[in-house]
């Protein structure tokens, strides 16, 4: 896909990866619809998009509100005639471990990080189906597949849910027949900036940023590449591949074992095959 004149909706566009993605898309001549809660900050990003040669259209939106996200999609279509790419970049962290985090904060985190992406897909996919094409990009984290530090339980939980949601959405779209809609999961190593700076345990420890964390500009470049050439999963960061490889094989082996033995009548034999597959992968790791 060419980004010149493409209509790109970016949530979380007021800062961090969302802002960087919006500006890079505008630099390629895209028409960018900017969504976040802060109207003043969105206005600044919109002006910068225009300075970079694209278009910037600010639509203040709380992604946790499904009606607001539907209105965002409607505004994009009314302004530009369709939606080519939808980037779910809105995200937040909680400055506490799971035991200390207030329930209202956990609900807000899941509302933004998970339901925000679900709302985006539910708004964008029907439009893309009518167009016959489109790309949905969700920015998650490798913490959704491999937790490498404390005080990120809520964030890791939300990104794990997002990874699974994308897998489910791909399967559902595949079941409805031929289409040209791609669902892509971008997996940076660690929380995305500026989320990482605010993920601090209540123990008083210094702000935690994992060794695998990727700066916003680098993640944004990966998002832009994914919009042009969609892939199911995109790993970002120096340590992303080894971290992903170290944690994924054993669970994958278990899943393969379950699928392989699902048709067997002897439950005990099936269980043994699963256990052996997992053990072999642990030994190789």
């Amino acid at each position: 896909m060419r980004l010149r004149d493409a209509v790109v909706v970016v949530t979380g566009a007021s800062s961090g990866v969302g802002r960087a993605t919006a500006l890079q898309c505008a630099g390629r001549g895209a028409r960018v619809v900017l969504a976040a809660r802060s109207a003043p900050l969105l206005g600044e990003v919109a002006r910068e998009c225009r300075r970079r040669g694209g278009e910037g259209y600010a639509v203040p939106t709380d992604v946790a509100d499904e009606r607001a996200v539907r209105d965002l999609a409607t505004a994009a279509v009314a302004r530009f005639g369709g939606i080519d790419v939808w980037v779910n970049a809105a995200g937040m962290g909680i400055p506490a471990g799971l035991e200390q985090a207030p329930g209202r904060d956990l609900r807000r985190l899941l509302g933004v990080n998970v339901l925000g992406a679900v709302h985006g897909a539910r708004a964008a996919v029907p439009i893309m189906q009518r167009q016959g094409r489109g790309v949905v990009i969700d920015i998650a984290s490798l913490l959704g597949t491999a937790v490498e530090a404390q005080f990120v339980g809520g964030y890791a939980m939300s990104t794990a849910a997002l990874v699974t949601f994308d897998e489910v959405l791909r399967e559902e779209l595949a079941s409805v027949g031929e289409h040209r809609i791609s669902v892509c999961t971008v997996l940076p190593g660690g929380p995305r900036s500026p989320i990482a700076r605010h993920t601090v345990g209540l123990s008083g420890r210094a702000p935690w940023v994992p060794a695998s964390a990727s700066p916003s500009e680098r993640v944004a470049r990966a998002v832009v590449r994914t919009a042009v050439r969609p892939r199911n999963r995109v790993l970002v960061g120096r340590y992303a591949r080894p971290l992903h490889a170290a944690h994924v094989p054993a669970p994958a082996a278990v899943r393969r074992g379950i699928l392989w033995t699902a048709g067997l009548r002897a439950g005990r034999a099936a269980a043994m095959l699963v256990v052996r597959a997992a053990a072999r992968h642990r030994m190789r790791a």
Side-chain angles (χ1 to χ4, degrees), residues 20-21 25 49 124 131 134 153 161 166 170 175 178 193 197 238 246 253 267 275:
T21 297
C25 288
C49 283
Q131 297 172 168
D166 284 353
R170 277 190 287 269
S175 70
E178 291 293 327
S193 175
R197 294 199 298 272
R238 179 180 177 185
V275 171

Side-chain angles (χ1 to χ4, degrees), residues 218-242:
R218 183 171 187 175
V219 179
R221 287 195 296 271
V223 174
V224 171
R225 288 195 299 269
T226 303
V228 174
R229 299 184 62 181
R231 290 181 290 162
N232 286 356
R233 286 193 180 186
V234 179
L235 305 180
V236 185
R238 179 180 177 185
Y239 301 103
R241 290 189 183 279

Side-chain angles (χ1 to χ4, degrees), residues 154-179:
Y155 183 79
M157 172 179 64
S158 69
T159 57
L162 187 53
V163 169
T164 300
F165 168 68
D166 284 353
E167 292 177 351
V168 171
L169 182 57
R170 277 190 287 269
E171 289 296 324
E172 289 190 356
L173 287 172
S175 70
V176 300
E178 291 293 327
H179 63 82

Side-chain angles (χ1 to χ4, degrees), residues 15-18 20-21 24 192-194 214-221:
S15 65
V17 173
T21 297
Q24 290 190 24
R192 295 172 281 121
S193 175
S214 303
S216 296
E217 293 293 333
R218 183 171 187 175
V219 179
R221 287 195 296 271

Side-chain angles (χ1 to χ4, degrees), residues 23 34 41-51 54-58:
L23 295 180
L34 308 161
L41 289 178
L42 285 182
E44 294 176 9
V45 180
R47 288 189 289 274
E48 182 61 27
C49 283
R50 290 189 285 272
R51 282 195 291 269
E55 292 188 49
Y57 177 44

Side-chain angles (χ1 to χ4, degrees), residues 100-279:
Q100 296 84 17
R104 65 180 181 277
D105 290 348
L106 283 172
R107 287 189 292 272
R108 177 63 184 170
L109 179 143
L110 293 173
V112 173
N113 295 9
V114 182
L115 290 179
V118 174
H119 297 160
R122 283 163 58 93
V125 167
I127 296 168
M128 293 175 177
Q129 287 176 318
R130 291 194 293 270
Q131 297 172 168
R133 72 200 186 317
V135 182
V136 176
I137 302 175
D138 288 330
I139 302 176
S141 169
L142 276 176
L143 291 177
T145 60
V147 179
E148 55 173 314
Q150 295 177 333
F151 305 122
V152 293
Y155 183 79
M157 172 179 64
S158 69
T159 57
L162 187 53
V163 169
T164 300
F165 168 68
D166 284 353
E167 292 177 351
V168 171
L169 182 57
R170 277 190 287 269
E171 289 296 324
E172 289 190 356
L173 287 172
S175 70
V176 300
E178 291 293 327
H179 63 82
R180 290 189 296 159
I181 301 174
S182 300
V183 180
C184 311
T185 312
V186 175
L187 297 166
R192 295 172 281 121
S193 175
I195 290 175
R197 294 199 298 272
H198 303 295
T199 307
V200 186
L202 292 183
S203 64
R205 295 187 183 185
W208 168 78
V209 179
S212 59
S214 303
S216 296
E217 293 293 333
R218 183 171 187 175
V219 179
R221 287 195 296 271
V223 174
V224 171
R225 288 195 299 269
T226 303
V228 174
R229 299 184 62 181
R231 290 181 290 162
N232 286 356
R233 286 193 180 186
V234 179
L235 305 180
V236 185
R238 179 180 177 185
Y239 301 103
R241 290 189 183 279
L243 180 63
H244 186 260
H247 288 79
V248 169
V254 173
R255 289 195 297 271
R256 285 198 297 272
I258 292 172
L259 291 173
W260 178 261
T261 60
L264 298 179
R265 296 180 181 178
R268 184 174 181 180
M272 287 302 297
L273 285 173
V274 173
V275 171
R276 288 170 184 168

